[in-house]
């Protein structure tokens, strides 16, 4: 039995997503929320395996919920469900710890397929997101721009290679063929990239907060 | 008493030394005068009697004196008139030569008789006596009155005892008398007149001019009051110099001497004020003291009375000289301490002021009979020369300051212009930036509104509509909206990135529809940029083309080729499907979106060509400018 958090403010869409989630996880126990506030309350009360989080909500951004969940329940998988397909919206969510994203207007069968893939550990990765990740790690690796005490998170050569291929517009199956790697291996690289992005971003954010004096114990 | 003897010895030594200096000066100034001219005899002694008689009193008891005869030495405390009788024999010269007697100095005035006939008068012999002390006298000796031998020259001198004058130079006395050819002595007379009188007059005129200029400069530049003091000093000195050449003042000797002394008190006050203010100092007490002194000088002179005029003035001169020297020392000290700037000013001023000091000392020595009277009054023209030098320096400083002010004004003006231009530039930049920021903010707001409101509604239609057609239309509308927003808010992107995005979407969609995709595009050396609008429009065209292939063509293979030129890029999409049916050829757009693809291409100044034949598949050739 899967415990799933569903955060979506539009009732029709929430119903639609819920129906599809039940297709993928027939045994799921779904907790619904329409606001960031409610979702945060649910997170502090229950443990979830999967959270489907909308970004633009009446009382804030779903990114905060993703970050809170990553903080308190690291094993939970956050998936962003959004109408925004641009990396300006998606990248912060991925940095906060989201493990993939789904576009709301997709036909039901695509949505189900994507959700299945994500739940099986195959998150999607678009060229523009890949470019953002490359740029992010390039900046991290510049010693003069990196604070001294920031834990150094770097990508392996293979991870970099996969990112570069994606950034050039190649699909994950194509890259698998190209590198002579199985679909699961490629998916593992992508998962690893997301994880490292999150770890590095969190360390950076903590350091920034410390620098600003927000951490006063 | 030994003290006094020592003083006398010292005085004698000093006199001897001073004579050497004087001789040197004379050699340089009036050199030829001392050399024995041919046919000139010098008379060094005379019979003398003090008498106011209208003719030489032959019956009085005569004394013999050596010339020059200084009354201060030979007849202290006695005023004139005094008769002198000189005997001479004509030097051997051509009989036709006009002869003359030359008297270097006769103070204050004289009348001359030759063999009993009057031949010369210097002016009034009664009060106010004509003041001829600085005028050398040339007496033409009429040939008719001359004897070859045994000539008698009677000179009646009107003068004053030393105690009745302020300066020894104006005490009564008669110098040696020289008899010789008129031409020779006239030249000597002219030379002496030049040094004693003309030069002083010329310099006085210059000083007045300088003084006026200085006063004008001081008036313009109130921050430098020393200029005013200097101007007054120069004019005052010139006025006081009038005593040298003004022969017929409308007042008697006592008044003239009194005024001279008072004038010096004022001049010294001005000089001290100049030096102190020039050094950048100011003292109220000093100013009051100097003013008091100006009053005190005439007061003490009046109290002392006419008979003690010389003693009083000598005392004052000593005190005033000491004051000037103290001011000079103070000025030099302050200037020296100003460091490098001061040093540059220090040496010329020090040199000049030292000169002044020496001259004042010589003058004081003369007044106190340590030195015999010099035939040329160095102080009278060297002092003004020093004034002129200081004045020239002031004008130079003023000129430099003016130049500097002009230069700094110019640089300030250009700086202001620069800054103004910069401010204007910054302002317009800020305005532009502001407009950009506002535009950007507004775009973002519109984008957010579209997503939140329109997007949410379309989404609801997509997922709630019973009709597949409506929900797919709503989905297309949503995609359109998203692209529009991107065209509205997006930044220009690299062509390489755009190609990557198109490739990922196209290949992914085709492979989901089980159509084999073959995409080839240049991956290296693509540096061109694509505007957000061009990216969005191209994305729509490409998406439409791929949708057509998936929906209608029944193709199993799709080839996409992309080539990038200098100014445009070409996208060719070719499928191996059944092509567009003939009956749809005329109106290609129906269900196939061909017209909208062409329309979008045209909007971007590009073109979209569709080649299709039944069984041959479809080729879409899109050419767009970069």
């Amino acid at each position: 039995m899967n415990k799933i958090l569903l955060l979506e403010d539009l009732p029709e869409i929430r119903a639609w997503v819920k129906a599809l989630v039940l297709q993928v996880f027939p045994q799921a126990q779904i907790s619904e929320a329409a606001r960031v506030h409610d979702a945060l309350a649910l997170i502090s009360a229950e443990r979830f395996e999967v959270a489907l989080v909308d970004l633009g909500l009446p009382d804030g951004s779903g990114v905060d919920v993703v970050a809170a969940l990553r903080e308190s329940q690291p094993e939970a998988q956050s998936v962003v469900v959004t109408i925004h397909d641009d990396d300006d919206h998606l990248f912060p969510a991925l940095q906060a710890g989201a493990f993939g994203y789904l576009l709301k207007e997709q036909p039901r069968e695509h949505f189900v397929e994507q959700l299945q893939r994500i739940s099986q550990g195959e998150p999607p990765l678009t060229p523009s997101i890949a470019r953002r990740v490359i740029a992010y790690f390039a900046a991290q690796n510049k010693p003069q721009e990196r604070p001294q005490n920031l834990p150094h998170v770097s990508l392996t050569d293979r991870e970099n290679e996969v990112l570069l291929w994606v950034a050039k517009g190649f699909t994950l199956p194509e890259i698998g063929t190209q590198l002579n790697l199985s679909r699961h291996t490629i998916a593992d690289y992508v998962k690893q990239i997301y994880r490292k992005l999150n770890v590095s971003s969190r360390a950076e954010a903590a350091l920034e907060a410390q620098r600003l004096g927000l951490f006063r114990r | 008493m030994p003290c006094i003897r020592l003083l006398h010895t010292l005085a004698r030594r000093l006199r001897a030394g001073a004579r050497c200096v004087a001789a040197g000066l004379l050699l340089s100034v009036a050199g030829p005068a001392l050399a024995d001219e041919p046919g000139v005899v010098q008379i060094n002694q005379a019979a003398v009697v003090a008498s106011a008689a209208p003719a030489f009193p032959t019956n009085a008891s005569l004394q013999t004196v050596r010339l020059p005869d200084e009354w201060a030495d030979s007849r202290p405390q006695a005023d004139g008139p005094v008769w002198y009788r000189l005997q001479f024999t004509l030097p051997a010269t051509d009989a036709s030569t006009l002869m003359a007697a030359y008297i270097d100095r006769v103070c204050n005035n004289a009348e001359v008789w030759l063999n009993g006939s009057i031949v010369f008068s210097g002016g009034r012999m009664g009060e106010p006596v004509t003041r001829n002390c600085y005028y050398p006298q040339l007496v033409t000796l009429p040939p008719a009155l001359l004897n070859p031998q045994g000539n008698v020259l009677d000179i009646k001198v009107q003068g004053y005892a030393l105690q009745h004058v302020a300066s020894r130079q104006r005490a009564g006395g008669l110098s040696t008398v020289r008899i010789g050819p008129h031409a020779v002595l006239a030249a000597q007379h002219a030379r002496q007149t030049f040094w004693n009188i003309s030069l002083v007059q010329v310099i006085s005129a210059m000083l007045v001019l300088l003084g006026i200029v200085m006063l004008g400069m001081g008036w313009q530049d109130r921050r430098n009051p020393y200029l005013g003091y200097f101007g007054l000093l120069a004019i005052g000195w010139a006025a006081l110099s009038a005593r040298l050449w003004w022969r017929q003042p409308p007042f008697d000797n006592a008044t003239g001497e009194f005024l001279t002394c008072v004038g010096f008190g004022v001049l010294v006050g001005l000089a001290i004020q100049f030096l102190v203010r020039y050094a950048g100092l100011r003292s109220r007490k000093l100013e009051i003291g100097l003013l008091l002194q100006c009053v005190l000088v005439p007061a003490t002179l009046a109290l002392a009375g006419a008979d003690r005029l010389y003693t009083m003035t000598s005392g004052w001169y000593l005190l005033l000289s000491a004051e000037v020297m103290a001011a000079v020392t103070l000025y030099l000290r302050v200037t020296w301490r100003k460091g490098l700037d001061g040093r540059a000013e220090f040496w010329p001023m020090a040199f000049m002021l030292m000169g002044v000091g020496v001259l004042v000392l010589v003058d004081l020595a003369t007044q106190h009979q340590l030195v015999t009277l010099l035939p040329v009054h160095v102080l009278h023209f060297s002092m003004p020369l020093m004034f002129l030098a200081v004045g020239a320096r002031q004008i130079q400083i003023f000129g430099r300051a003016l130049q500097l002010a002009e230069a700094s004004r110019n640089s300030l003006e250009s700086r202001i212009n620069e800054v103004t231009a910069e401010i204007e530039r910054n302002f317009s930049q800020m305005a532009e930036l502001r407009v950009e920021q506002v535009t950007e903010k507004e775009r973002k707001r519109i984008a957010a509104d579209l997503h939140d409101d329109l997007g949410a509604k379309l989404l609801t239609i997509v997922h709630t509509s019973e009709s597949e057609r409506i929900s797919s239309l709503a989905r297309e509308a949503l995609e359109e909206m998203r692209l529009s927003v991107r065209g509205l808010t997006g930044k220009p992107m690299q062509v390489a990135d755009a190609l990557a995005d198109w490739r990922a979407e196209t290949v992914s969609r085709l492979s989901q529809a089980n159509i084999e995709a073959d995409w080839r595009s240049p991956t290296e050396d693509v540096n061109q940029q694509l505007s957000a609008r061009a990216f969005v429009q191209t994305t729509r065209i490409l998406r439409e083309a791929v949708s057509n292939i998936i929906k209608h063509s029944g193709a199993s293979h799709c080839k996409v080729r992309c080539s990038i030129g200098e100014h445009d890029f070409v996208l060719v999409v070719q499928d191996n499907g059944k092509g567009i049916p003939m009956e749809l050829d005329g109106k290609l757009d129906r269900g196939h979106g061909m017209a909208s693809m062409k329309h979008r291409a045209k909007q971007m100044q590009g073109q979209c060509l569709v080649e299709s034949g039944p069984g041959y598949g479809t080729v879409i050739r899109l050419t767009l400018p970069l």
Side-chain angles (χ1 to χ4, degrees), chain A residues 30-52:
Chain A
I30 299 173
S31 303
E32 296 173 49
R35 273 152 209 283
V36 173
H37 177 78
D38 302 343
L40 291 176
L42 283 171
I43 286 169
S44 59
E46 301 172 43
R47 298 196 75 78
F48 295 100
E49 284 173 43
V50 176
L52 298 170

Side-chain angles (χ1 to χ4, degrees), chain B residues 479-499:
Chain B
E479 275 181 5
E480 279 294 308
M481 182 203 79
R482 191 184 285 145
L483 280 176
S484 295
V485 167
R486 186 156 183 179
L488 202 66
T489 60
K491 294 181 179 66
M493 66 193 297
Q494 295 288 326
V495 172
D497 293 345
L499 286 172

Side-chain angles (χ1 to χ4, degrees), chain B residues 192-211:
Chain B
Q192 193 68 26
T193 308
F194 170 75
W195 285 107
N196 278 11
I197 306 297
S198 310
L199 194 58
V200 171
Q201 285 174 330
V202 169
I203 289 175
S204 291
M206 285 164 72
L207 271 187
V208 170
L209 271 177
L210 176 71

Side-chain angles (χ1 to χ4, degrees), chain B residues 433-602:
Chain B
L433 210 68
R434 177 106 188 92
V435 168
E436 261 172 42
Q437 279 175 346
V438 169
T439 313
E440 182 68 19
K441 204 175 153 191
E442 193 55 19
R443 279 177 179 164
K444 283 204 169 134
R445 193 188 63 75
I446 293 170
D449 278 2
L450 281 174
H451 272 125
D452 291 350
D453 191 39
L454 187 61
K457 282 179 180 140
L458 284 171
L459 198 62
T460 312
I461 295 170
V462 168
H463 295 311
T464 53
S465 168
E466 299 294 324
S467 153
E468 185 60 32
R469 181 170 155 71
I470 289 173
S471 81
S472 103
L473 274 177
R475 183 175 292 118
E476 279 169 21
L478 196 60
E479 275 181 5
E480 279 294 308
M481 182 203 79
R482 191 184 285 145
L483 280 176
S484 295
V485 167
R486 186 156 183 179
L488 202 66
T489 60
K491 294 181 179 66
M493 66 193 297
Q494 295 288 326
V495 172
D497 293 345
L499 286 172
D501 287 4
W502 292 331
R503 187 190 194 286
E505 183 183 316
T506 306
V507 172
S508 168
R509 285 181 69 198
L510 287 171
S511 45
Q512 271 175 10
N514 286 321
I515 298 169
E516 194 189 341
D518 173 16
W519 177 293
R520 279 188 211 164
S521 60
T523 50
E524 309 297 325
D525 301 326
V526 183
N527 295 316
Q528 286 95 329
Q529 291 225 316
L530 203 62
S531 71
R533 213 175 83 83
F535 171 74
V536 165
Q537 296 289 56
T538 313
T539 304
R540 282 168 170 163
I541 295 171
L542 189 63
R543 198 171 275 171
E544 183 71 42
V546 171
S547 293
N548 282 343
I549 293 169
I550 293 172
K551 282 185 197 157
H552 308 294
S553 73
S556 63
H557 186 90
C558 176
K559 215 160 69 171
V560 184
R561 294 289 178 270
C562 180
S563 58
I564 294 161
E566 191 78 359
H567 305 292
D568 55 3
F569 75 100
V570 182
L571 210 58
V572 181
V573 184
Q574 185 175 8
D575 67 57
N576 63 349
K578 56 179 185 271
I580 299 168
M582 272 302 226
E583 62 269 26
L584 285 177
D585 240 4
K587 28 195 172 167
L588 276 172
D589 63 314
R590 191 173 295 165
H592 292 70
M594 293 296 172
S596 78
M597 282 162 69
K598 288 187 172 183
H599 179 67
R600 289 188 206 282
K602 219 173 203 171

Side-chain angles (χ1 to χ4, degrees), chain A residues 10 12-13 16 56 82-89 103-108 110 113-114 127-128 131 166-171 174, chain B residues 451-452 455-457 459-460 462-464 475 478-479 481-482 486 493 496-501 503-504 507-508 511-512 517 523-524:
Chain A
L10 299 172
E12 294 92 346
I13 306 302
W16 182 77
T82 179
I83 195 165
H84 301 281
D85 74 333
D86 57 308
D87 48 304
D88 281 342
H89 283 90
L103 295 180
K104 285 182 191 172
E105 85 275 13
Q106 289 184 100
R108 144 191 328 258
H110 283 176
E113 189 193 334
Q114 290 246 329
S128 62
R131 288 196 292 269
V166 174
K168 282 179 183 173
F170 288 82
T171 60
E174 278 184 308
Chain B
H451 272 125
D452 291 350
K457 282 179 180 140
L459 198 62
T460 312
V462 168
H463 295 311
T464 53
R475 183 175 292 118
L478 196 60
E479 275 181 5
M481 182 203 79
R482 191 184 285 145
R486 186 156 183 179
M493 66 193 297
D497 293 345
L499 286 172
D501 287 4
R503 187 190 194 286
V507 172
S508 168
S511 45
Q512 271 175 10
T523 50
E524 309 297 325

Side-chain angles (χ1 to χ4, degrees), chain B residues 188-243:
Chain B
Q188 203 173 345
H189 175 259
R191 201 179 304 134
Q192 193 68 26
T193 308
F194 170 75
W195 285 107
N196 278 11
I197 306 297
S198 310
L199 194 58
V200 171
Q201 285 174 330
V202 169
I203 289 175
S204 291
M206 285 164 72
L207 271 187
V208 170
L209 271 177
L210 176 71
I212 289 168
V213 169
M214 284 294 166
L215 280 178
M217 273 160 57
W219 187 262
Q220 287 289 316
D221 185 8
R222 301 292 178 85
R223 287 163 308 162
N224 293 329
Y226 61 82
L227 290 173
Y229 285 115
F230 188 80
L232 288 176
L233 178 60
I235 291 172
W237 184 276
L240 215 54
S241 292
R243 74 188 191 280

